[in-house]
Amino acid sequence: GNSVTQMEGPVTLSEEAFLTINCTYTATGYPSLFWYVQYPGEGLQLLLKATKADDKGSNKGFEATYRKETTSFHLEKGSVQVSDSAVYFCALRSYGGSQGNLIFGKGTKLSVKP
Amino acid sequence: DAGVTQSPTHLIKTRGQQVTLRCSPISGHKSVSWYQQVLGQGPQFIFQYYEKEERGRGNFPDRFSARQFPNYSSELNVNALLLGDSALYLCASSYSGTAFGETQYFGPGTRLLVL
């Protein structure tokens, strides 16, 4: 079946450090891929998405490239800020039949220290 | 424009009770999906509705049910609550629910605690 695996947290970085959160997936067909962010006590916000191979999603300095050959969608940011502290979820959405639901990884908690 | 709204924000119930959670989608969105997020885990899909019809169901027991109203708002019902039902329940809306690449927008969630 379809699944998402992302690196275990927590991840602790100093401000301005480089961030990578790994995400790999298993899916039939050609899924769409998403990164969502969850700040403490809040729901999920879409961070970025990509819908086909080699697409790069980007937002707020975060980037992720849809790599079909390695079934990966790693999240990167060149210089993190304290305000980036949150839990990050990688998700896929496969298509077929009447299903369009999201399948999430377990989440990676990021803490950025000043 | 208002985002997805959910009520109540917090709820405390005891085992065996029943609970109803409510969700209003973004204006113009016709599809609502429900997810359960247990502490420390990613959200798990429960139901998807479009135009009042159930379009998908996750691997949850029959104690879980939902419906969508003509104004596209939705309710999630859980009967015979168990301790393991304690979680954050998230509602997400989208225009069609299945369009390729379509984004689902999430509400703030309802935090349910079962004692």
mmCIF file of all heavy atoms in Angstrom, chain A residues 68-109:
data_model
loop_
_atom_site.group_PDB
_atom_site.id
_atom_site.type_symbol
_atom_site.label_atom_id
_atom_site.label_comp_id
_atom_site.label_asym_id
_atom_site.label_seq_id
_atom_site.Cartn_x
_atom_site.Cartn_y
_atom_site.Cartn_z
ATOM 1 N N LYS A 68 11.355 11.118 -8.497
ATOM 2 C CA LYS A 68 10.678 9.847 -8.753
ATOM 3 C C LYS A 68 11.662 8.690 -8.697
ATOM 4 O O LYS A 68 11.338 7.605 -8.228
ATOM 5 C CB LYS A 68 9.983 9.908 -10.114
ATOM 6 C CG LYS A 68 9.131 8.700 -10.450
ATOM 7 C CD LYS A 68 8.344 8.944 -11.718
ATOM 8 C CE LYS A 68 7.503 7.727 -12.090
ATOM 9 N NZ LYS A 68 8.329 6.573 -12.446
ATOM 10 N N GLU A 69 12.895 8.918 -9.170
ATOM 11 C CA GLU A 69 13.862 7.822 -9.244
ATOM 12 C C GLU A 69 14.283 7.323 -7.862
ATOM 13 O O GLU A 69 14.598 6.145 -7.698
ATOM 14 C CB GLU A 69 15.092 8.251 -10.053
ATOM 15 C CG GLU A 69 15.900 9.374 -9.452
ATOM 16 C CD GLU A 69 15.365 10.748 -9.782
ATOM 17 O OE1 GLU A 69 14.229 10.851 -10.291
ATOM 18 O OE2 GLU A 69 16.082 11.738 -9.515
ATOM 19 N N THR A 70 14.244 8.234 -6.869
ATOM 20 C CA THR A 70 14.599 7.832 -5.508
ATOM 21 C C THR A 70 13.377 7.831 -4.584
ATOM 22 O O THR A 70 13.516 7.605 -3.377
ATOM 23 C CB THR A 70 15.655 8.777 -4.903
ATOM 24 O OG1 THR A 70 15.171 10.124 -4.995
ATOM 25 C CG2 THR A 70 16.983 8.651 -5.648
ATOM 26 N N THR A 71 12.214 8.045 -5.141
ATOM 27 C CA THR A 71 10.942 8.162 -4.397
ATOM 28 C C THR A 71 11.132 9.000 -3.143
ATOM 29 O O THR A 71 10.827 8.578 -2.017
ATOM 30 C CB THR A 71 10.350 6.779 -4.056
ATOM 31 O OG1 THR A 71 11.239 6.051 -3.207
ATOM 32 C CG2 THR A 71 10.049 5.991 -5.301
ATOM 33 N N SER A 72 11.633 10.219 -3.347
ATOM 34 C CA SER A 72 11.928 11.084 -2.207
ATOM 35 C C SER A 72 11.376 12.484 -2.419
ATOM 36 O O SER A 72 11.113 12.910 -3.555
ATOM 37 C CB SER A 72 13.438 11.149 -1.961
ATOM 38 O OG SER A 72 14.076 11.766 -3.052
ATOM 39 N N PHE A 73 11.225 13.201 -1.302
ATOM 40 C CA PHE A 73 10.719 14.576 -1.337
ATOM 41 C C PHE A 73 11.284 15.273 -0.093
ATOM 42 O O PHE A 73 10.557 15.676 0.799
ATOM 43 C CB PHE A 73 9.183 14.554 -1.330
ATOM 44 C CG PHE A 73 8.537 15.868 -1.656
ATOM 45 C CD1 PHE A 73 8.857 16.572 -2.810
ATOM 46 C CD2 PHE A 73 7.558 16.394 -0.821
ATOM 47 C CE1 PHE A 73 8.236 17.775 -3.121
ATOM 48 C CE2 PHE A 73 6.924 17.595 -1.116
ATOM 49 C CZ PHE A 73 7.271 18.285 -2.257
ATOM 50 N N HIS A 74 12.595 15.418 -0.054
ATOM 51 C CA HIS A 74 13.268 15.954 1.126
ATOM 52 C C HIS A 74 13.042 17.453 1.261
ATOM 53 O O HIS A 74 13.143 18.198 0.275
ATOM 54 C CB HIS A 74 14.776 15.688 1.044
ATOM 55 C CG HIS A 74 15.123 14.246 0.862
ATOM 56 N ND1 HIS A 74 14.451 13.215 1.490
ATOM 57 C CD2 HIS A 74 16.088 13.660 0.097
ATOM 58 C CE1 HIS A 74 14.986 12.064 1.139
ATOM 59 N NE2 HIS A 74 15.979 12.295 0.294
ATOM 60 N N LEU A 75 12.811 17.895 2.484
ATOM 61 C CA LEU A 75 12.576 19.312 2.772
ATOM 62 C C LEU A 75 13.892 19.969 3.165
ATOM 63 O O LEU A 75 14.637 19.426 3.993
ATOM 64 C CB LEU A 75 11.570 19.459 3.915
ATOM 65 C CG LEU A 75 11.191 20.892 4.299
ATOM 66 C CD1 LEU A 75 10.391 21.542 3.170
ATOM 67 C CD2 LEU A 75 10.384 20.893 5.599
ATOM 68 N N GLU A 76 14.175 21.155 2.593
ATOM 69 C CA GLU A 76 15.411 21.868 2.890
ATOM 70 C C GLU A 76 15.136 23.345 3.104
ATOM 71 O O GLU A 76 14.197 23.908 2.533
ATOM 72 C CB GLU A 76 16.422 21.711 1.742
ATOM 73 C CG GLU A 76 16.886 20.297 1.509
ATOM 74 C CD GLU A 76 17.917 20.211 0.400
ATOM 75 O OE1 GLU A 76 17.956 21.121 -0.456
ATOM 76 O OE2 GLU A 76 18.691 19.227 0.380
ATOM 77 N N LYS A 77 15.985 23.936 3.961
ATOM 78 C CA LYS A 77 15.981 25.386 4.123
ATOM 79 C C LYS A 77 17.406 25.818 4.437
ATOM 80 O O LYS A 77 18.067 25.202 5.282
ATOM 81 C CB LYS A 77 15.039 25.840 5.227
ATOM 82 C CG LYS A 77 14.911 27.369 5.289
ATOM 83 C CD LYS A 77 13.896 27.846 6.305
ATOM 84 C CE LYS A 77 13.736 29.363 6.218
ATOM 85 N NZ LYS A 77 12.796 29.917 7.217
ATOM 86 N N GLY A 78 17.838 26.852 3.777
ATOM 87 C CA GLY A 78 19.234 27.258 3.900
ATOM 88 C C GLY A 78 19.597 27.882 5.234
ATOM 89 O O GLY A 78 20.728 27.746 5.713
ATOM 90 N N SER A 79 18.654 28.563 5.872
ATOM 91 C CA SER A 79 18.964 29.287 7.104
ATOM 92 C C SER A 79 17.695 29.336 7.954
ATOM 93 O O SER A 79 16.779 30.117 7.673
ATOM 94 C CB SER A 79 19.448 30.698 6.775
ATOM 95 O OG SER A 79 19.670 31.448 7.962
ATOM 96 N N VAL A 80 17.640 28.500 8.985
ATOM 97 C CA VAL A 80 16.417 28.416 9.775
ATOM 98 C C VAL A 80 16.359 29.533 10.815
ATOM 99 O O VAL A 80 17.391 30.068 11.242
ATOM 100 C CB VAL A 80 16.279 27.048 10.477
ATOM 101 C CG1 VAL A 80 16.096 25.942 9.445
ATOM 102 C CG2 VAL A 80 17.482 26.760 11.383
ATOM 103 N N GLN A 81 15.150 29.854 11.200
ATOM 104 C CA GLN A 81 14.898 30.871 12.219
ATOM 105 C C GLN A 81 14.174 30.228 13.393
ATOM 106 O O GLN A 81 13.565 29.156 13.257
ATOM 107 C CB GLN A 81 14.048 31.996 11.634
ATOM 108 C CG GLN A 81 14.623 32.621 10.385
ATOM 109 C CD GLN A 81 15.996 33.234 10.638
ATOM 110 O OE1 GLN A 81 16.183 33.957 11.625
ATOM 111 N NE2 GLN A 81 16.956 32.943 9.774
ATOM 112 N N VAL A 82 14.212 30.918 14.536
ATOM 113 C CA VAL A 82 13.513 30.406 15.719
ATOM 114 C C VAL A 82 12.037 30.180 15.413
ATOM 115 O O VAL A 82 11.426 29.207 15.878
ATOM 116 C CB VAL A 82 13.686 31.371 16.911
ATOM 117 C CG1 VAL A 82 12.829 30.944 18.077
ATOM 118 C CG2 VAL A 82 15.150 31.454 17.332
ATOM 119 N N SER A 83 11.469 31.041 14.587
ATOM 120 C CA SER A 83 10.047 30.952 14.240
ATOM 121 C C SER A 83 9.719 29.719 13.389
ATOM 122 O O SER A 83 8.534 29.415 13.183
ATOM 123 C CB SER A 83 9.604 32.205 13.495
ATOM 124 O OG SER A 83 10.393 32.392 12.332
ATOM 125 N N ASP A 84 10.724 29.006 12.899
ATOM 126 C CA ASP A 84 10.490 27.772 12.134
ATOM 127 C C ASP A 84 10.271 26.567 13.044
ATOM 128 O O ASP A 84 9.982 25.470 12.561
ATOM 129 C CB ASP A 84 11.673 27.482 11.206
ATOM 130 C CG ASP A 84 11.838 28.525 10.116
ATOM 131 O OD1 ASP A 84 10.806 29.058 9.651
ATOM 132 O OD2 ASP A 84 12.987 28.812 9.733
ATOM 133 N N SER A 85 10.428 26.747 14.332
ATOM 134 C CA SER A 85 10.218 25.654 15.276
ATOM 135 C C SER A 85 8.774 25.166 15.179
ATOM 136 O O SER A 85 7.832 25.936 15.386
ATOM 137 C CB SER A 85 10.520 26.118 16.704
ATOM 138 O OG SER A 85 11.873 26.500 16.836
ATOM 139 N N ALA A 86 8.627 23.899 14.847
ATOM 140 C CA ALA A 86 7.294 23.328 14.595
ATOM 141 C C ALA A 86 7.481 21.844 14.291
ATOM 142 O O ALA A 86 8.600 21.327 14.284
ATOM 143 C CB ALA A 86 6.623 24.015 13.415
ATOM 144 N N VAL A 87 6.359 21.170 14.018
ATOM 145 C CA VAL A 87 6.409 19.792 13.551
ATOM 146 C C VAL A 87 6.099 19.788 12.055
ATOM 147 O O VAL A 87 5.127 20.410 11.615
ATOM 148 C CB VAL A 87 5.412 18.893 14.299
ATOM 149 C CG1 VAL A 87 5.518 17.456 13.797
ATOM 150 C CG2 VAL A 87 5.679 18.939 15.803
ATOM 151 N N TYR A 88 6.927 19.087 11.290
ATOM 152 C CA TYR A 88 6.794 19.053 9.842
ATOM 153 C C TYR A 88 6.351 17.662 9.397
ATOM 154 O O TYR A 88 6.926 16.653 9.814
ATOM 155 C CB TYR A 88 8.127 19.430 9.180
ATOM 156 C CG TYR A 88 8.477 20.884 9.421
ATOM 157 C CD1 TYR A 88 9.064 21.280 10.622
ATOM 158 C CD2 TYR A 88 8.183 21.860 8.474
ATOM 159 C CE1 TYR A 88 9.348 22.612 10.877
ATOM 160 C CE2 TYR A 88 8.469 23.194 8.708
ATOM 161 C CZ TYR A 88 9.054 23.559 9.918
ATOM 162 O OH TYR A 88 9.332 24.885 10.163
ATOM 163 N N PHE A 89 5.323 17.631 8.544
ATOM 164 C CA PHE A 89 4.763 16.380 8.064
ATOM 165 C C PHE A 89 4.903 16.294 6.554
ATOM 166 O O PHE A 89 4.483 17.205 5.830
ATOM 167 C CB PHE A 89 3.277 16.265 8.411
ATOM 168 C CG PHE A 89 2.994 16.120 9.875
ATOM 169 C CD1 PHE A 89 2.723 17.230 10.655
ATOM 170 C CD2 PHE A 89 3.006 14.869 10.473
ATOM 171 C CE1 PHE A 89 2.461 17.113 12.008
ATOM 172 C CE2 PHE A 89 2.746 14.726 11.829
ATOM 173 C CZ PHE A 89 2.478 15.855 12.591
ATOM 174 N N CYS A 90 5.447 15.188 6.094
ATOM 175 C CA CYS A 90 5.463 14.866 4.679
ATOM 176 C C CYS A 90 4.208 14.054 4.383
ATOM 177 O O CYS A 90 3.793 13.219 5.209
ATOM 178 C CB CYS A 90 6.723 14.063 4.369
ATOM 179 S SG CYS A 90 6.957 13.657 2.644
ATOM 180 N N ALA A 91 3.579 14.282 3.243
ATOM 181 C CA ALA A 91 2.349 13.564 2.921
ATOM 182 C C ALA A 91 2.262 13.321 1.428
ATOM 183 O O ALA A 91 2.829 14.055 0.625
ATOM 184 C CB ALA A 91 1.129 14.373 3.394
ATOM 185 N N LEU A 92 1.550 12.268 1.069
ATOM 186 C CA LEU A 92 1.269 12.010 -0.338
ATOM 187 C C LEU A 92 -0.225 11.857 -0.540
ATOM 188 O O LEU A 92 -0.981 11.537 0.371
ATOM 189 C CB LEU A 92 2.027 10.778 -0.839
ATOM 190 C CG LEU A 92 1.613 9.375 -0.395
ATOM 191 C CD1 LEU A 92 0.416 8.840 -1.194
ATOM 192 C CD2 LEU A 92 2.777 8.419 -0.584
ATOM 193 N N ARG A 93 -0.591 12.076 -1.776
ATOM 194 C CA ARG A 93 -1.988 11.910 -2.147
ATOM 195 C C ARG A 93 -2.003 11.126 -3.447
ATOM 196 O O ARG A 93 -1.501 11.605 -4.462
ATOM 197 C CB ARG A 93 -2.635 13.252 -2.326
ATOM 198 C CG ARG A 93 -4.132 13.192 -2.432
ATOM 199 C CD ARG A 93 -4.687 14.576 -2.353
ATOM 200 N NE ARG A 93 -6.131 14.573 -2.379
ATOM 201 C CZ ARG A 93 -6.858 15.664 -2.508
ATOM 202 N NH1 ARG A 93 -6.277 16.834 -2.609
ATOM 203 N NH2 ARG A 93 -8.157 15.579 -2.512
ATOM 204 N N SER A 94 -2.537 9.910 -3.370
ATOM 205 C CA SER A 94 -2.612 9.089 -4.565
ATOM 206 C C SER A 94 -3.999 9.207 -5.154
ATOM 207 O O SER A 94 -4.928 9.683 -4.502
ATOM 208 C CB SER A 94 -2.285 7.628 -4.237
ATOM 209 O OG SER A 94 -3.232 7.113 -3.331
ATOM 210 N N TYR A 95 -4.154 8.766 -6.361
ATOM 211 C CA TYR A 95 -5.413 8.943 -7.060
ATOM 212 C C TYR A 95 -5.857 7.620 -7.644
ATOM 213 O O TYR A 95 -5.073 6.734 -7.893
ATOM 214 C CB TYR A 95 -5.257 10.002 -8.153
ATOM 215 C CG TYR A 95 -4.866 11.325 -7.575
ATOM 216 C CD1 TYR A 95 -3.524 11.608 -7.345
ATOM 217 C CD2 TYR A 95 -5.813 12.248 -7.178
ATOM 218 C CE1 TYR A 95 -3.158 12.805 -6.765
ATOM 219 C CE2 TYR A 95 -5.441 13.442 -6.596
ATOM 220 C CZ TYR A 95 -4.115 13.714 -6.393
ATOM 221 O OH TYR A 95 -3.743 14.887 -5.817
ATOM 222 N N GLY A 96 -7.118 7.531 -7.858
ATOM 223 C CA GLY A 96 -7.643 6.282 -8.386
ATOM 224 C C GLY A 96 -8.890 5.930 -7.630
ATOM 225 O O GLY A 96 -8.971 6.131 -6.415
ATOM 226 N N GLY A 97 -9.880 5.454 -8.338
ATOM 227 C CA GLY A 97 -11.156 5.176 -7.694
ATOM 228 C C GLY A 97 -11.749 6.472 -7.189
ATOM 229 O O GLY A 97 -11.689 7.496 -7.870
ATOM 230 N N SER A 98 -12.242 6.484 -5.992
ATOM 231 C CA SER A 98 -12.812 7.698 -5.425
ATOM 232 C C SER A 98 -11.972 8.247 -4.283
ATOM 233 O O SER A 98 -12.383 9.147 -3.573
ATOM 234 C CB SER A 98 -14.225 7.405 -4.908
ATOM 235 O OG SER A 98 -14.165 6.408 -3.899
ATOM 236 N N GLN A 99 -10.760 7.731 -4.141
ATOM 237 C CA GLN A 99 -9.946 8.149 -3.005
ATOM 238 C C GLN A 99 -9.104 9.363 -3.369
ATOM 239 O O GLN A 99 -8.513 9.415 -4.436
ATOM 240 C CB GLN A 99 -9.011 7.001 -2.595
ATOM 241 C CG GLN A 99 -9.727 5.823 -1.975
ATOM 242 C CD GLN A 99 -10.022 6.068 -0.517
ATOM 243 O OE1 GLN A 99 -9.464 6.958 0.090
ATOM 244 N NE2 GLN A 99 -10.922 5.281 0.052
ATOM 245 N N GLY A 100 -9.080 10.294 -2.443
ATOM 246 C CA GLY A 100 -8.190 11.437 -2.638
ATOM 247 C C GLY A 100 -7.601 11.881 -1.336
ATOM 248 O O GLY A 100 -7.223 13.032 -1.182
ATOM 249 N N ASN A 101 -7.548 10.944 -0.374
ATOM 250 C CA ASN A 101 -7.105 11.342 0.946
ATOM 251 C C ASN A 101 -5.592 11.411 1.042
ATOM 252 O O ASN A 101 -4.861 10.821 0.248
ATOM 253 C CB ASN A 101 -7.618 10.349 1.990
ATOM 254 C CG ASN A 101 -7.242 8.917 1.640
ATOM 255 O OD1 ASN A 101 -7.822 8.334 0.749
ATOM 256 N ND2 ASN A 101 -6.261 8.367 2.340
ATOM 257 N N LEU A 102 -5.122 12.157 2.039
ATOM 258 C CA LEU A 102 -3.701 12.311 2.303
ATOM 259 C C LEU A 102 -3.195 11.187 3.201
ATOM 260 O O LEU A 102 -3.885 10.756 4.122
ATOM 261 C CB LEU A 102 -3.439 13.645 2.982
ATOM 262 C CG LEU A 102 -3.621 14.889 2.125
ATOM 263 C CD1 LEU A 102 -3.732 16.121 2.993
ATOM 264 C CD2 LEU A 102 -2.467 15.026 1.145
ATOM 265 N N ILE A 103 -1.982 10.740 2.913
ATOM 266 C CA ILE A 103 -1.280 9.779 3.764
ATOM 267 C C ILE A 103 -0.062 10.484 4.308
ATOM 268 O O ILE A 103 0.773 10.984 3.533
ATOM 269 C CB ILE A 103 -0.893 8.530 2.968
ATOM 270 C CG1 ILE A 103 -2.160 7.817 2.486
ATOM 271 C CG2 ILE A 103 -0.049 7.590 3.829
ATOM 272 C CD1 ILE A 103 -1.904 6.718 1.499
ATOM 273 N N PHE A 104 0.045 10.537 5.637
ATOM 274 C CA PHE A 104 1.072 11.326 6.298
ATOM 275 C C PHE A 104 2.184 10.454 6.865
ATOM 276 O O PHE A 104 1.963 9.304 7.257
ATOM 277 C CB PHE A 104 0.472 12.117 7.465
ATOM 278 C CG PHE A 104 -0.374 13.280 7.057
ATOM 279 C CD1 PHE A 104 -1.728 13.111 6.808
ATOM 280 C CD2 PHE A 104 0.172 14.546 6.933
ATOM 281 C CE1 PHE A 104 -2.523 14.183 6.444
ATOM 282 C CE2 PHE A 104 -0.617 15.626 6.575
ATOM 283 C CZ PHE A 104 -1.966 15.445 6.326
ATOM 284 N N GLY A 105 3.382 11.051 6.946
ATOM 285 C CA GLY A 105 4.433 10.469 7.760
ATOM 286 C C GLY A 105 4.164 10.786 9.225
ATOM 287 O O GLY A 105 3.193 11.462 9.573
ATOM 288 N N LYS A 106 5.064 10.325 10.091
ATOM 289 C CA LYS A 106 4.841 10.487 11.523
ATOM 290 C C LYS A 106 5.194 11.875 12.032
ATOM 291 O O LYS A 106 4.886 12.205 13.180
ATOM 292 C CB LYS A 106 5.636 9.434 12.289
ATOM 293 C CG LYS A 106 5.119 8.021 12.077
ATOM 294 C CD LYS A 106 5.850 7.018 12.951
ATOM 295 C CE LYS A 106 5.247 5.632 12.777
ATOM 296 N NZ LYS A 106 5.928 4.627 13.641
ATOM 297 N N GLY A 107 5.842 12.666 11.215
ATOM 298 C CA GLY A 107 6.185 14.015 11.633
ATOM 299 C C GLY A 107 7.598 14.112 12.191
ATOM 300 O O GLY A 107 8.115 13.153 12.781
ATOM 301 N N THR A 108 8.211 15.268 11.981
ATOM 302 C CA THR A 108 9.546 15.548 12.506
ATOM 303 C C THR A 108 9.479 16.863 13.258
ATOM 304 O O THR A 108 9.135 17.897 12.676
ATOM 305 C CB THR A 108 10.591 15.652 11.383
ATOM 306 O OG1 THR A 108 10.602 14.442 10.634
ATOM 307 C CG2 THR A 108 11.979 15.919 11.955
ATOM 308 N N LYS A 109 9.798 16.812 14.549
ATOM 309 C CA LYS A 109 9.760 18.029 15.350
ATOM 310 C C LYS A 109 11.077 18.774 15.221
ATOM 311 O O LYS A 109 12.148 18.205 15.441
ATOM 312 C CB LYS A 109 9.496 17.697 16.815
ATOM 313 C CG LYS A 109 9.361 18.935 17.700
ATOM 314 C CD LYS A 109 9.006 18.572 19.130
ATOM 315 C CE LYS A 109 8.835 19.827 19.977
ATOM 316 N NZ LYS A 109 8.468 19.495 21.387
#
